[in-house]
Amino acid sequence: MATDKKTLTGYVGFDSITSQIEKKLLKRGFAFNLMAVGRSGLGKSTLVNTIFASHLVDSKGLLKISENGQPIQTTEIQSISHIIEENGVRLKLTITDTPGYGDQVNNDNCWEPVVKYIKDQYSSYLRKELTPTRDRRITDSRVHAVLFFIAPTGHALTPLDIAVMRRISEVANVIPVIAKSDSLTLEERASFKKRIKDEIEFHGIRTFPYADVFVDTEDDGQPLNDDERAERQLINAVRDVIPFAVVGSERNVVVDGKAVRGRRTRWGVINVENEDHCEFVALRNFLTRTHMQDLIDVTAMVHYEGYRTKQLMALKGQSNN
């Protein structure tokens, strides 16, 4: 049924609905769930702390040493939640840290605990959603983004990296990052990024943002407006940068009399917020300033919806037998 667009003859006031929604959302607060996946020793905790400008996760390098003098490795998936606030906006941030894969003698199916954890969050949400007396607002523990840390070898992804990234990308939004990229020269970094991008495309691994998923627009055959065109240009620009070559640091160093977050080496200072040094700012802006809501929406509308459909179809099939 066609819907005609009418011109108002006077001011009605329903344009204030956006401010009404904003007030409710600010009062309720927001939630964002981030997972870090990668081999041990790549600075996963440090980068997360750097992104959110707060000490949220303890570095595994600071954990206890065993009796035989060996560092105690993370062997379980661990989640920790914090409430952080910025300019009146309250965010419940949950960080999920995973064991470094590839540390064992036998690494067959080492991605399974991570995939199982992600699916368990979908299962928990689905159970709450189907409960007859469900909560007015279901607590969302679904993983909205997975930072996938790649070792800065300068060569190529390992077969294990490819296998783990592919399996996780089937159930969650994967964002690949090259960790500790200051160990590469600019030429090595550019070559490494291109090689990784080619391998991701060759193996059919879907990384976020997706070129074919636009949660705020409908493909109705109509030409894009300026906002939609700008959004798609931004997505293409981000896809050109991926994988993000980053450096994390919680320490301040003084550069030209100004304290900046970075690392001092014998060759000079690495300023993590200097875009000539690394792509940390691009990653932070993408993750928090431009695409945080898209990550949440795609998790709900694509990954969770796919899981939900499979589970309900399976239940329907069982009831018919």
Side-chain angles (χ1 to χ4, degrees), residues 39-50:
R39 295 176 182 267
S40 299
L42 292 181
K44 298 189 289 292
S45 303
T46 299
L47 182 65
V48 170
N49 292 338
T50 309

Side-chain angles (χ1 to χ4, degrees), residues 27-257:
K27 183 178 180 180
R28 182 186 309 169
F30 301 86
F32 187 68
N33 306 319
L34 179 67
M35 174 181 276
V37 174
R39 295 176 182 267
S40 299
L42 292 181
K44 298 189 289 292
S45 303
T46 299
L47 182 65
V48 170
N49 292 338
T50 309
I51 290 173
F52 292 99
S54 179
H55 187 81
L56 304 172
V57 187
D58 288 332
S59 171
K60 298 302 172 289
L62 301 177
L63 293 183
K64 297 179 181 179
I65 302 297
S66 63
E67 293 181 357
N68 61 7
Q70 297 298 317
I72 299 175
Q73 298 285 343
T74 304
T75 58
E76 297 178 352
I77 295 177
Q78 302 170 343
S79 293
I80 184 170
S81 297
H82 297 276
I83 301 295
I84 55 180
E85 188 168 337
E86 184 176 52
N87 296 327
V89 178
R90 190 172 69 257
L91 177 70
K92 180 184 178 183
L93 177 65
T94 299
I95 309 296
T96 301
D97 193 13
T98 61
Y101 66 83
D103 295 338
Q104 308 302 318
V105 175
N106 183 358
N107 293 300
D108 291 345
N109 301 328
C110 63
W111 56 80
E112 286 185 350
V114 175
V115 173
K116 181 180 183 301
Y117 178 89
I118 294 172
K119 288 185 175 180
D120 284 348
Q121 308 317 305
Y122 293 155
S123 177
S124 174
Y125 194 91
L126 180 58
R127 287 196 305 271
K128 294 174 183 176
E129 196 176 50
L130 297 179
T131 300
T133 56
R134 63 182 180 182
D135 297 335
R136 290 174 57 193
R137 286 191 291 271
I138 300 174
T139 301
D140 189 1
S141 62
R142 297 170 295 185
V143 175
H144 300 132
V146 177
L147 289 180
F148 189 90
F149 287 71
I150 300 168
T153 62
H155 302 301
L157 294 173
T158 68
L160 187 59
D161 290 334
I162 293 169
V164 174
M165 194 190 306
R166 180 195 289 124
R167 294 304 180 106
I168 298 175
S169 68
E170 293 171 355
V171 295
N173 300 318
V174 170
I175 304 168
V177 299
I178 301 172
K180 299 183 176 181
S181 66
D182 54 326
S183 62
L184 302 170
T185 66
L186 294 179
E187 293 78 12
E188 290 171 340
R189 190 180 80 182
S191 176
F192 191 38
K193 280 168 62 76
K194 184 179 184 306
R195 193 172 299 118
I196 292 173
K197 194 187 297 287
D198 290 343
E199 288 183 316
I200 287 174
E201 183 177 354
F202 177 80
H203 291 283
I205 300 172
R206 285 170 60 84
T207 59
F208 191 90
Y210 308 122
D212 56 345
V213 176
F214 303 96
V215 296
D216 292 331
T217 60
E218 296 183 6
D219 188 10
D220 53 7
Q222 298 297 319
L224 300 177
N225 60 37
D226 290 341
D227 289 340
E228 292 169 342
R229 193 176 297 110
E231 171 65 17
R232 299 201 180 188
Q233 288 175 349
L234 177 60
I235 288 175
N236 291 332
V238 171
R239 291 183 61 82
D240 287 340
V241 175
I242 286 176
F244 296 95
V246 297
V247 179
S249 177
E250 296 183 71
R251 298 181 179 179
N252 287 335
V253 293
V254 178
V255 178
D256 298 330

Side-chain angles (χ1 to χ4, degrees), residues 275-293:
E275 297 183 58
D276 292 330
H277 292 183
C278 69
E279 294 164 344
F280 167 80
V281 170
L283 172 63
R284 182 194 61 193
N285 291 349
F286 165 72
L287 199 60
T288 64
R289 304 184 184 186
T290 62
H291 284 80
M292 178 176 280
Q293 188 59 49

